[in-house]
Amino acid sequence: MRKGLVWTLVIVLVLGVGGYFGDNWLRGYVQDRAVEAAGSSLGDGEATVMLGGTPFVLSLITRSVPSAHVEVATLPLEISGHAVQLTDVVADTGTVTLGASQVSIATLTGSAVLSYADLSKIAGMPVTYANDGRLKSTYTVELFGQKLKFAISALPEVDAAAQVIRLTKPKVELGVDDKFSSIALSQDQVDAIVKPIKVLLDHDLRLTSITPRDSGVAVGVAGTNISVPIP
């Protein structure tokens, strides 16, 4: 009852007294509360939420906004069963609707940076940057009783349908006693050694792009008809 009275007073303030400035104050107030409500799920870093819709007071009636822009410094989450942390997260949405126990998002596109340490967790093997937009992995296999070291660098490509990262246009070096020499392997031979990296994201989000950089792997994601439980 008290909560309903507060919102009624806010609506009266915006429509009858505050006008434009009151509507902007209300938008800012709700944006700040949205960040607070997300709480620990956004990590320890700074977060910003910008909500669309004019006049914003209509959102109190419809319990929805036509768009939202979100920026999060660090975001802990789970990918393919591994706890990782994304940084520099930016997301833009379509209509966002507040329900009794969840938030529904019509569409979402976003980008973030994943560290090579976390990518290595997901891949199940050490992965580093190899310049020119390539990833590199070095590991040991046993062949005819002798341990051989392979260093493979490749361009990562997202298979959107299978939601895997495939390694293409490989360059392979074979090492014996820490001495490496280049060898030629077909894509099928490389695939037999290095399996595609499976990427499973929460809330039916899908990986759309991957770009290796010095500081980490820039990834793009997208989704439709997303439901997120209210913390």
Side-chain angles (χ1 to χ4, degrees), residues 44-103:
D44 298 327
E46 295 182 356
T48 301
V49 174
M50 300 175 66
L51 302 175
T54 303
F56 187 76
V57 69
L58 293 179
S59 298
L60 301 181
I61 301 171
T62 63
R63 296 179 66 83
S64 68
V65 293
S67 63
H69 176 81
V70 180
E71 297 182 10
V72 183
T74 60
L75 178 65
L77 79 166
E78 190 173 285
I79 298 179
S80 300
H82 298 277
V84 300
Q85 182 170 273
L86 298 179
T87 59
D88 300 327
V89 178
V90 178
D92 289 284
T93 77
T95 301
V96 179
T97 304
L98 177 64
S101 60
Q102 64 184 19
V103 175

Side-chain angles (χ1 to χ4, degrees), residues 57-219:
V57 69
L58 293 179
S59 298
L60 301 181
I61 301 171
T62 63
R63 296 179 66 83
S64 68
V65 293
S67 63
H69 176 81
V70 180
E71 297 182 10
V72 183
T74 60
L75 178 65
L77 79 166
E78 190 173 285
I79 298 179
S80 300
H82 298 277
V84 300
Q85 182 170 273
L86 298 179
T87 59
D88 300 327
V89 178
V90 178
D92 289 284
T93 77
T95 301
V96 179
T97 304
L98 177 64
S101 60
Q102 64 184 19
V103 175
S104 299
I105 304 171
T107 61
L108 181 147
T109 57
S111 63
V113 176
L114 180 69
S115 71
Y116 287 105
D118 281 343
L119 179 59
S120 297
K121 286 184 189 179
I122 300 168
M125 59 184 180
V127 180
T128 59
Y129 184 57
N131 298 318
D132 299 325
R134 302 173 72 85
L135 297 176
K136 181 177 181 179
S137 181
T138 303
Y139 52 97
T140 302
V141 297
E142 189 168 326
L143 184 64
F144 303 120
Q146 187 175 19
K147 290 185 177 181
L148 303 177
K149 289 184 178 181
F150 280 89
I152 298 180
S153 70
L155 290 172
E157 290 186 358
V158 175
D159 184 334
Q163 282 297 280
V164 298
I165 301 171
R166 301 191 186 279
L167 302 180
T168 66
K169 299 181 180 178
K171 296 179 181 179
V172 185
E173 292 184 324
L174 175 64
V176 179
D177 296 328
D178 294 327
K179 295 180 180 179
F180 285 85
S181 58
S182 298
I183 61 174
L185 291 180
S186 68
Q187 184 66 54
D188 288 340
Q189 289 173 316
V190 172
D191 289 341
I193 299 171
V194 183
K195 302 301 181 184
I197 303 171
K198 186 68 176 178
V199 180
L200 298 175
L201 299 172
D202 289 337
H203 310 303
D204 293 325
L205 289 172
R206 301 179 65 80
L207 184 70
T208 58
S209 65
I210 178 170
T211 306
R213 299 172 179 167
D214 279 327
S215 57
V217 181
V219 296

